[in-house]
């Protein structure tokens, strides 16, 4: 089936996004707008995708409304809200400005961009909004509360928006992606840099034990191969009748389900 489609992908320089983009590039009928965080990334990505006709690179810091203007004259059929940051520490005593910064990107940046795109979807009478949440938004993992609670918030935002779309007079799909642990460097940064936010923490003396447990968790669960989650995101973009939630990898999702049944 041939579908002409414009996809906007935020935070698209690395990690899971790179894998999904390699799938999207196989389709000559899709135009991919890759939103990047910084000016430096803009240069690097323009060089990287030089000559690839169906890719356009945009500087799109999702917390900066000025950057949204570059979207004004283009049609967007699907947005993948992939951009995120992760700060760790204990929610009891980590600097509140770090939590605020985390929410500013993951919640407010994502929601604000959604609101900016909404009139576009309304005018063209269709659209698809894909939120990257996380299994960390479902299972409470200690010392990543700032990041995890931002992802939990995205889950509720997506569910409420989906309910509200039932009252719209045009079809607008709202979809959640809930990945488990994949090795992109994001988790290492999240876990390892949290001690900068824990210098005055009551848990500072326990950092050796905490690090050992987290290393064990990542070694056990983190997937090197990102294909399983990339395939789910690809389906979320393309499926004619999309599911509300796409998750991977299977065993981690099963574990999360069992956890929800037993402990919630
Ligand atoms: N890896 C996992 O195990 C995992 C699990 C569950 C969910 N996820 C979610 O999957 C998504 C992709 O993560 P990933 O693992 O592939 O890591 P990643 O490559 O680091 O992806 C995050 C991207 O967001 C960008 N970003 C941060 N702040 C931004 C802003 N204000 N505006 C625009 N872009 C911004 C980052 O750019 P900079 O490098 O410049 O900061 C980076 O390119 C994230 O939403 C993450 O929460 C990942």
């Amino acid at each position: 089936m041939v579908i002409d489609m414009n996809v906007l992908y935020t935070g698209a320089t690395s990690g899971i996004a790179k894998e999904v983009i390699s799938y999207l590039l196989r389709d000559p009928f899709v135009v991919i707008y890759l939103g990047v965080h910084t000016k430096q990334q803009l240069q690097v990505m323009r060089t990287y995708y030089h000559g690839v006709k169906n890719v356009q690179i945009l500087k799109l810091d999702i917390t900066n409304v000025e950057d949204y203007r570059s979207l004004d004259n283009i049609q967007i059929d699907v947005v993948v809200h992939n951009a995120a940051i992760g700060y760790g520490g204990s929610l009891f005593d980590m600097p509140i400005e770090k939590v605020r910064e985390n929410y500013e990107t993951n919640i407010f940046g994502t929601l604000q961009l959604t609101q900016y795109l909404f009139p576009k979807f309304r005018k063209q009478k269709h659209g698809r909004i894909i939120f990257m949440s996380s299994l960390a938004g479902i299972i409470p993992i200690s010392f990543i509360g700032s990041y995890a609670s931002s992802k939990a918030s995205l889950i509720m935002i997506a569910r409420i928006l989906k309910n509200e779309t039932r009252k719209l007079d045009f079809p607008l799909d709202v979809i959640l992606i809930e990945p488990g642990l994949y090795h992109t460097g994001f988790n290492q940064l999240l876990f390892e840099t949290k001690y900068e936010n824990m210098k005055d923490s009551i848990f500072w003396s326990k950092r050796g034990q905490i690090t050992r447990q987290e290393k064990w968790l990542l070694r056990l669960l983190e997937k090197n191969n990102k294909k399983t989650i990339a395939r789910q995101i690809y389906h979320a973009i393309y499926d004619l009748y999309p599911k509300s939630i796409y998750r991977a990898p299977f065993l981690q999702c099963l574990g999360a389900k069992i956890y929800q049944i037993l402990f919630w």
Side-chain angles (χ1 to χ4, degrees):
M1 187 175 35
V2 174
I3 308 173
D4 275 312
M5 183 165 61
N6 291 359
V7 179
L8 171 65
Y9 214 115
T10 68
T13 41
S14 47
I16 295 169
K18 228 175 170 181
E19 188 80 31
V20 180
I21 292 155
S22 72
Y23 287 14
L24 293 176
L25 281 174
R26 294 176 198 161
D27 182 349
F29 297 97
V30 70
V31 178
I32 317 162
Y33 293 94
L34 301 180
V36 301
H37 192 186
T38 61
K39 274 191 187 148
Q40 291 89 317
Q41 290 170 354
L42 188 69
Q43 292 311 322
V44 173
M45 291 286 279
R46 281 195 172 148
T47 309
Y48 187 83
Y49 285 104
H50 180 72
V52 183
K53 274 206 280 199
N54 55 339
V55 170
Q56 301 280 332
I57 319 288
L58 309 169
K59 154 93 168 58
L60 182 61
D61 176 342
I62 63 163
T63 63
N64 182 357
V65 185
E66 285 305 308
D67 282 1
Y68 296 4
R69 310 261 177 258
S70 59
L71 303 169
D72 281 351
N73 297 316
I74 53 181
Q75 178 174 330
I76 304 292
D77 302 297
V78 181
V79 56
V80 184
H81 286 299
N82 174 74
I85 56 171
Y87 292 138
S90 166
L91 283 178
F92 278 121
D93 51 18
M94 71 182 283
I96 201 69
E97 57 280 8
K98 282 286 172 191
V99 182
R100 199 168 276 137
E101 219 182 296
N102 212 154
Y103 286 9
E104 196 57 49
T105 300
N106 297 10
I107 305 175
F108 295 114
T110 303
L111 186 58
Q112 186 154 269
L113 180 56
T114 304
Q115 291 190 344
Y116 197 85
L117 293 173
F118 181 66
K120 217 184 255 298
F121 295 142
R122 190 175 167 202
K123 199 165 162 208
Q124 69 202 25
K125 292 205 171 300
H126 72 268
R128 184 167 290 191
I129 306 166
I130 301 176
F131 291 98
M132 286 293 278
S133 183
S134 170
L135 289 187
I138 298 173
I139 300 180
I141 302 171
S142 303
F143 307 113
I144 60 162
S146 164
Y147 168 74
S149 57
S150 75
K151 291 295 181 178
S153 174
L154 279 189
I155 293 176
M156 190 49 83
I157 286 172
R159 291 180 67 182
I160 288 174
L161 287 178
K162 190 177 172 64
N163 269 351
E164 291 177 357
T165 62
R166 299 201 173 98
K167 299 228 170 3
L168 292 174
D169 58 1
F170 65 95
L172 183 62
D173 301 315
V174 179
I175 300 168
L176 267 170
I177 311 285
E178 291 178 355
L181 290 164
Y182 286 88
H183 185 76
T184 63
F186 189 94
N187 298 317
Q188 282 64 26
L189 206 64
L190 172 64
F191 284 121
E192 284 162 21
T193 58
K194 72 171 172 305
Y195 297 109
E196 290 161 23
N197 302 327
M198 289 179 78
K199 297 245 160 70
D200 300 319
S201 175
I202 192 168
F203 300 103
W204 178 248
S205 62
K206 305 249 165 57
R207 63 193 183 284
Q209 187 195 354
I210 295 168
T211 306
R212 274 194 299 282
Q213 284 169 349
E214 287 171 352
K215 282 203 165 135
W216 176 84
L217 181 83
L218 289 183
R219 212 173 301 134
L220 185 75
L221 294 178
E222 206 181 42
K223 294 270 180 200
N224 277 316
N225 190 331
K226 293 175 271 300
K227 283 191 173 29
T228 46
I229 190 63
R231 247 181 260 129
Q232 293 298 309
I233 300 168
Y234 183 82
H235 275 292
I237 294 170
Y238 271 91
D239 281 354
L240 201 53
Y241 301 104
K243 297 190 285 185
S244 302
I245 306 178
Y246 292 78
R247 297 183 173 118
F250 176 75
L251 281 179
Q252 289 181 39
C253 299
L254 185 68
K257 264 263 163 276
I258 294 170
Y259 180 91
Q260 275 181 305
I261 292 165
L262 290 180
F263 299 106
W264 275 21

